[in-house]
Amino acid sequence: MGRNGFLKGIVAISVILAALFFLAPAQADEYPSKPLTYIICFNPGGESDITARFQEQPLQKHYKDGVVITYKIGGGGSVGWSELIKSKPDGYTIAGDNLPHIVLQPLTRGNAGYNTLDLKQVYIFESTPNILVVRKDSQFQSLKELIAYAKEKPGAMTVGGSGSSTANDLGTQMLSKAAGIKLTYIPFTGSGAAVPSLLGGHVGALMTYSTMAVRYPGDFRPLAIMSEERMSVLPDVPTFKELGFDLVEGAYRGVAAPPGTPDDIVKKIAGIFDSVMKEPGVIKKMDENGFKIETMGPEASTAFVKKKIAEYTVLVEEMGLKKK
Amino acid sequence: MFGYILLGLQHLASFENLLLVFAGTVAGMVVGALPGLTATMAVALLVPFTYAMDPIPGLVLLGAIYMGCIYGGAFSAILINTPGTPSSIGTTFDGYPMACQGRGEEAIIGATVGSAFGGLFGVVALIFLSPPLAAIALKFGPPEYFWVGVFGLTIISSLAAGSFLKGITGAAFGVLISTIGIAPIGGDVRFTFGSPAMQGGVELIVMLIGLFCIPELLTIVSRGIGKHQAVEYRRTKGVLWETVKKVLSLRKNLIRSSIIGTVIGILPGAGGNIANLVSYNEARRTSKHPEKYGTGLIDGVVATETANNAVVGGGMIPLVTLGIPGAPPDAIIYGVLLLQGLRPGPELFTARADITYTFMLALGLAAIVMVPVGIYGGRLLTRFVASLPARYLVPGIGILTIIGSYAIRNNYTDVILMLLFGVVGFGLRFLGFQAPPIVLGLILGPIMEGGLVQSYLMGQAYSSPWIALFVSPLSWVLIAMSAFSFLWPYIGPLKKMFQKPGGITPGGLE
Amino acid sequence: MTAKFRDHLGSVLLLAFVAVLWLQRDYITVFGGIFPDIVMEIMAALIVLTVVLSFTPYAAMKETEGTAKEEGKTVNWTGLAVVGVILLAWSVLLRTLGFALSGVLGFSGISWYLGGCRWEPKGIAWCVGIALAVTYLLIFVFVSLLRVPLPAGTIFG
């Protein structure tokens, strides 16, 4: 046997075996008939991961072949989303997506690897409104006092949050603008990383997600929350609206499918997530942990995303974040 | 409190839990030994299996895996000069030379005993000293983290076998690589050469495998095809008890390394990855014969492995007291706690003490279980690797590195990057630049940058923003430590300079 | 390859690296640039220092310790090149061929080159067989047990 024979032999054997292993069996008509790959674009232990973990078991009731949670971390989510748009649009690969990230990244980065509307919105299932917290022993008893302090000393009031060009960042900027003050926003890598800074007194306040405020009731004093109405798990926290500032902002999380996924399949996935999010066990866990449940199906979420694109485009111009 | 400990022991003593500790530790060790698979991945992958379990068994399993994984990294560090987990980088310094000299089994025994000791120490600190230690963790803010990063860089004098100057240059190289991707502050896209795939930056594991493993493979190849492999195995009788006794006699090393591991573990984000290097540096610095480090001294292996297992317990401290994970696997365990409806804080130690104490004791038990499994398995593994001819060893390691670099982020680019770093690493080795300082730069880069820029922002209230870096007393302590650590190698020759009017001897400044 | 030459070569290459990055600078915010700029400047300074010192007897002494171990060993450049190319091809083809196929090919390729398989059916079968066994064992452990997806290969759809 010459060299060619040898190589041919290997290729032949391998192709046969590999093909046997990986060729999918003929697809049954009924969706879902294969396992679901649920891509998480952020670090394990973060809000996106925790939400997915809450959903994992209920989802497995619908996806009898299993739900596989994989992580594609990097670039604040952009690595995962740019991979998603190249994935097969057969409805078995979805990724968790976040607003404002999917809107802001393409706007501010020039080339984030994907375009916002490439991600086919399936469902937006929760939001975590921004909440402004200070330490329990802080000098500020109310939002008014904090604003007064910031007015006196522009730039001296440090507010920590998760990441740059995220909801926390936007929220701080929006508050600065609305109240005519200069807050110094300090980004941390993830909402968890910002908490020790507040507890240790290194920053004055945190503009964080509602989930964080719920986790540390004994250490934090929330001053105001950026939601339409008060959250049931934080009944004593006034909304910014009540206090005179029309600010509603936070992070919205949902799932998206690759572009080109057929609409009826998207509807089916949305239906599954809808019933998962309506399960009492899931509702309880989400509420307890400070998540606000949203139930936006494909059309509603796509419209929502478009609305946010318009909003943020204006904001980004104003704040000068656009990549030149 | 002792009542709770008894309660925990009761729960732990159930057959199910004991089995889980054993299985988890072994599984963790296997995963840890495979280059490219980290403890974080191992824990994350096993979370779905815990859904079917009650909270106690689930947490016991995850804890055992975590502890086993950190220990398992030593095996590949010693046998193929590739840290199985980033926390075993330092184990390659003395472990691999030992394996090359036929003393691989000795090295593994040293790593085992050290890991068990460190692991237990960390757990004891977790059980008894959590509140005060957690309070210390909070004192570290952005300026302090910056100085911790700087302190980390001063270790290079220990790591760079050869020129210190090249070590620092290598570290700078590593730091620059760490800036590729999205800036932590401001979100700028940096140095991605226009490719969205690079926005994720360079992952530590990818560079680790690339810089340690591939050059090693290439070296085996370059020495001659089919020639015998680097690692020897010499069967020596009684080596087990001799080594164990020897290691246990290194009391100062064991205790000091454990303390270093626990303390660094409680700093969220500082990374247990640094603990083993700091510990190695300290061991070398305080040793009577520092020049022997790096040639195959068991003290080096003990120092690194003790520290990295102490991080396991230490990292849990801020988690259970404040709900702040000290290391990435803790973040996942935190998620599991939340799933089970458990809230970190005082409640965990009182109302749900049964879960908490069982979990902590399970960690300790895992540390003990590692010893027989590791020693026996280690012997087998050493023999196996030493007897594998290059024609199976090289592709075998090759396939593992490809899986490892792919699996970390499910990213094809990572595999190519890994090879790229492999080639670059091989070339740099040839030119006098060692891998450890570069990897250290990659690890410390984000810590330093985050600390630096966050401190700059914090300092907006001062006339010059940079003042924020020097304000707190803890910063002063860290600055002093860094200066001391940096100047230490030069103090000896400086003293000589004052004693002997002849001046510095050429070899004296190493 | 004297120590001095290695120093210079290393310095040139690293300086080129810094230059490439320096030219790539494109920061939007002031914060993005503070840190990398400082590091690049420090690194350039260190490289220059290395070059300068290489001309003094001071540095040369430092170098001989590290490089002495490397001299005197014949380096098998062809072997290195071949294995390097195989590994590179393996990683590039990972995406198209999938892990199973590229794994078997890569493993047996390296194994064969390093002298594993004799030119007889038994030798080749042994070679490929081990490659198959290792590859599929790993696939089993990762894909089935741990549920970590390994590349399936785009040519398989």
Side-chain angles (χ1 to χ4, degrees), chain B residues 150-505:
Chain B
V150 169
F151 176 67
L153 285 182
T154 61
I155 294 175
I156 292 175
S157 50
S158 281
L159 308 184
S163 163
F164 180 61
L165 192 54
K166 287 203 167 154
I168 295 258
T169 314
F173 179 68
V175 172
L176 276 180
I177 303 270
S178 79
T179 59
I180 296 179
I182 310 290
I185 321 280
D188 295 60
V189 179
R190 297 190 295 205
F191 308 132
T192 58
F193 299 97
S195 153
M198 293 297 289
Q199 280 181 14
V202 176
E203 175 69 42
L204 173 63
I205 301 289
V206 171
M207 182 188 250
L208 205 59
I209 303 180
L211 286 182
F212 277 89
C213 202
I214 305 288
E216 202 51 45
L217 277 189
L218 295 178
T219 311
I220 296 181
V221 172
S222 76
R223 288 221 199 102
I225 307 171
K227 284 234 187 81
H228 84 101
Q229 49 291 331
V231 173
E232 295 174 31
Y233 177 74
R234 292 187 210 143
R235 198 196 181 94
T236 24
K237 292 222 121 207
V239 71
L240 173 58
W241 291 116
E242 258 184 56
T243 318
V244 170
K245 271 193 290 189
K246 184 163 178 220
V247 170
L248 287 177
S249 71
L250 298 168
R251 275 184 299 264
K252 266 201 265 184
N253 191 340
L254 287 171
I255 294 184
R256 180 188 54 233
S257 309
S258 302
I259 295 179
I260 292 179
T262 313
V263 169
I264 295 190
I266 58 176
L267 299 179
N273 300 339
I274 315 177
N276 68 105
L277 297 171
V278 173
S279 171
Y280 184 83
N281 187 47
E282 284 307 298
R284 188 179 191 221
R285 196 173 59 80
T286 55
S287 141
K288 294 192 179 52
H289 36 81
E291 66 287 344
K292 285 219 197 126
Y293 276 79
T295 61
L297 194 63
I298 199 168
D299 303 45
V301 172
V302 169
T304 57
E305 284 301 311
T306 312
N308 68 22
N309 274 81
V311 170
V312 175
M316 295 278 174
I317 292 179
L319 178 67
V320 295
T321 46
L322 302 168
I324 303 166
D330 301 316
I332 303 176
I333 295 185
Y334 186 34
V336 173
L337 286 173
L338 282 184
L339 267 172
Q340 304 281 3
L342 297 167
R343 200 68 63 72
E347 178 192 294
L348 211 54
F349 283 85
T350 49
R352 309 310 310 269
D354 55 340
I355 299 184
T356 316
Y357 280 90
T358 316
F359 173 63
M360 298 196 283
L361 288 167
L363 280 179
L365 185 60
I368 301 178
V369 166
M370 285 172 358
V371 178
V373 178
I375 292 185
Y376 188 63
R379 182 175 294 179
L380 287 176
L381 201 58
T382 315
R383 241 187 270 185
F384 177 66
V385 171
S387 62
L388 264 187
R391 63 176 183 271
Y392 294 133
L393 190 61
V394 173
I397 300 180
I399 204 174
L400 283 178
T401 59
I402 291 194
I403 295 188
S405 48
Y406 177 77
I408 190 79
R409 288 196 301 192
N410 290 315
N411 194 333
Y412 295 103
T413 322
D414 280 346
V415 181
I416 301 184
L417 267 180
M418 184 266 299
L419 274 173
L420 203 65
F421 276 114
V423 171
V424 167
F426 187 71
L428 284 178
R429 216 194 249 199
F430 188 66
L431 294 170
F433 295 92
Q434 305 291 325
I438 303 180
V439 172
L440 187 64
L442 187 70
I443 298 177
L444 292 176
I447 298 179
M448 285 173 60
E449 172 164 24
L452 185 69
V453 185
Q454 284 165 353
S455 307
Y456 177 86
L457 284 171
M458 274 169 64
Q460 295 297 310
Y462 305 107
S463 46
S464 161
W466 301 111
I467 293 183
L469 284 172
F470 302 96
V471 164
S472 84
L474 187 51
S475 297
W476 300 337
V477 169
L478 289 169
I479 298 176
M481 279 168 64
S482 311
F484 181 68
S485 172
F486 180 71
L487 293 172
W488 177 262
Y490 301 104
I491 293 187
L494 267 173
K495 273 203 233 166
K496 272 197 219 155
M497 197 159 73
F498 285 115
Q499 287 165 1
K500 277 203 315 217
I504 309 173
T505 56

Side-chain angles (χ1 to χ4, degrees), chain A residues 44 50 53-54 56-57 71-73 78 109 111 113 155 164 184-188 196 200 202 214-216 285, chain B residues 44 51 138-141 182 185-186 189 196 199-200 322-324 332 334 338-339 343 409-410 454 457-458 460:
Chain A
I50 292 183
R53 298 290 179 190
F54 288 165
E56 191 175 357
Q57 272 188 303
Y71 297 94
K72 283 199 200 228
I73 308 172
S78 63
R109 286 188 198 176
N111 181 9
S164 303
T184 305
Y185 175 71
I186 304 191
F188 289 88
H202 305 285
V214 169
R215 277 188 211 178
Y216 304 97
K285 285 212 184 95
Chain B
Y51 293 150
L138 286 182
K139 293 251 180 312
F140 281 76
I182 310 290
I185 321 280
V189 179
Q199 280 181 14
L322 302 168
I324 303 166
I332 303 176
Y334 186 34
L338 282 184
L339 267 172
R343 200 68 63 72
R409 288 196 301 192
N410 290 315
Q454 284 165 353
L457 284 171
M458 274 169 64
Q460 295 297 310

Side-chain angles (χ1 to χ4, degrees), chain A residues 42-308:
Chain A
F42 294 92
N43 282 316
E47 281 88 15
S48 302
D49 184 43
I50 292 183
T51 315
R53 298 290 179 190
F54 288 165
Q55 297 166 333
E56 191 175 357
Q57 272 188 303
L59 278 175
Q60 282 181 334
K61 291 195 217 146
H62 298 268
Y63 287 93
K64 298 268 184 328
D65 295 289
V67 174
V68 180
I69 294 192
T70 33
Y71 297 94
K72 283 199 200 228
I73 308 172
S78 63
V79 170
W81 295 318
S82 37
E83 278 290 321
L84 179 74
I85 59 175
K86 298 187 211 141
S87 308
K88 234 165 120 192
D90 59 359
Y92 292 103
T93 310
I94 57 173
D97 69 343
N98 304 41
L99 284 105
H101 305 68
I102 59 171
V103 177
L104 286 180
Q105 285 172 1
L107 271 180
T108 57
R109 286 188 198 176
N111 181 9
Y114 66 96
N115 289 318
T116 313
L117 293 171
D118 282 344
L119 301 168
K120 198 155 176 144
Q121 294 299 321
V122 174
Y123 200 82
I124 293 185
F125 43 65
E126 52 111 337
S127 71
T128 47
N130 282 334
I131 189 168
L132 186 65
V133 301
V134 294
R135 274 168 50 169
K136 261 270 155 62
D137 55 2
S138 152
Q139 47 176 298
F140 307 119
Q141 300 288 338
S142 69
L143 180 65
K144 238 200 302 190
E145 292 180 28
L146 190 144
I147 294 183
Y149 177 84
K151 272 214 171 95
E152 259 183 85
K153 308 188 179 178
M157 184 69 215
T158 48
V159 179
S162 159
S164 303
S165 302
T166 56
N168 294 157
D169 192 356
L170 273 186
T172 317
Q173 311 253 13
M174 284 157 64
L175 176 60
S176 299
K177 196 162 134 218
I181 51 179
K182 185 163 179 286
L183 295 169
T184 305
Y185 175 71
I186 304 191
F188 289 88
T189 42
S191 14
V195 171
S197 291
L198 182 67
L199 291 179
H202 305 285
V203 291
L206 285 189
M207 179 70 79
T208 182
Y209 297 126
S210 48
T211 40
M212 285 295 151
V214 169
R215 277 188 211 178
Y216 304 97
D219 306 290
F220 286 174
R221 176 187 305 137
L223 295 181
I225 188 169
M226 283 190 185
S227 54
E228 291 280 350
E229 315 167 330
R230 296 197 180 194
M231 282 184 78
S232 53
V233 67
L234 298 163
D236 303 321
V237 182
T239 65
F240 274 89
K241 267 189 151 161
E242 286 174 42
L243 298 174
F245 298 99
D246 184 16
L247 298 168
V248 174
E249 191 54 70
Y252 295 83
R253 297 183 189 81
V255 280
T261 313
D263 283 333
D264 54 328
I265 301 226
V266 168
K267 264 217 190 97
K268 288 208 177 128
I269 308 180
I272 294 178
F273 270 90
D274 195 54
S275 49
V276 164
M277 294 315 291
K278 295 208 162 98
E279 278 194 30
V282 174
I283 295 182
K284 179 161 173 284
K285 285 212 184 95
M286 301 285 273
D287 274 342
E288 270 176 2
N289 284 290
F291 292 98
K292 180 164 173 294
I293 298 191
E294 311 272 351
T295 48
M296 292 191 236
E299 294 90 15
S301 43
T302 316
F304 184 71
V305 169
K306 290 198 176 137
K307 180 172 118 178
K308 286 295 177 184

Side-chain angles (χ1 to χ4, degrees), chain B residues 124-161:
Chain B
V124 165
L126 174 64
I127 296 182
F128 294 104
L129 294 172
S130 286
L133 285 177
I136 298 181
L138 286 182
K139 293 251 180 312
F140 281 76
E144 287 75 24
Y145 273 95
F146 173 72
W147 292 116
V148 166
V150 169
F151 176 67
L153 285 182
T154 61
I155 294 175
I156 292 175
S157 50
S158 281
L159 308 184

Side-chain angles (χ1 to χ4, degrees), chain C residues 12-147:
Chain C
V12 164
L13 289 174
L14 285 178
L15 209 52
F17 174 72
V18 175
V20 166
L21 287 189
W22 187 264
L23 294 171
Q24 269 264 319
R25 288 152 74 231
D26 187 17
Y27 311 126
I28 309 177
T29 70
V30 66
F31 304 119
I34 301 180
F35 189 67
D37 282 355
I38 298 179
V39 177
M40 282 196 271
E41 286 156 17
I42 294 182
M43 188 165 168
L46 287 171
I47 295 176
V48 168
L49 185 61
T50 316
V51 174
V52 164
L53 281 180
S54 75
F55 290 110
T56 70
Y58 183 64
M61 292 256 194
K62 270 195 187 186
E63 286 320 303
T64 41
E65 295 187 30
T67 57
K69 295 182 197 139
E70 304 289 328
E71 323 277 10
K73 287 212 175 109
T74 48
V75 180
N76 176 5
W77 294 106
T78 358
L80 272 179
V82 171
V83 173
V85 164
I86 297 183
L87 284 175
L88 198 63
W90 189 350
S91 66
V92 168
L93 292 173
L94 186 64
R95 184 169 207 153
T96 26
L97 296 181
F99 181 74
L101 185 52
S102 64
V104 173
L105 283 177
F107 193 100
S108 19
I110 299 181
S111 185
W112 165 74
Y113 180 71
L114 291 180
C117 322
R118 288 175 292 273
W119 286 122
E120 4 163 286
K122 185 166 165 220
I124 295 176
W126 188 243
C127 208
V128 176
I130 293 203
L132 276 171
V134 171
T135 310
Y136 279 94
L137 177 65
L138 288 171
I139 289 182
F140 174 68
V141 167
F142 280 85
V143 178
S144 313
L145 276 188
L146 296 176
R147 303 214 283 182

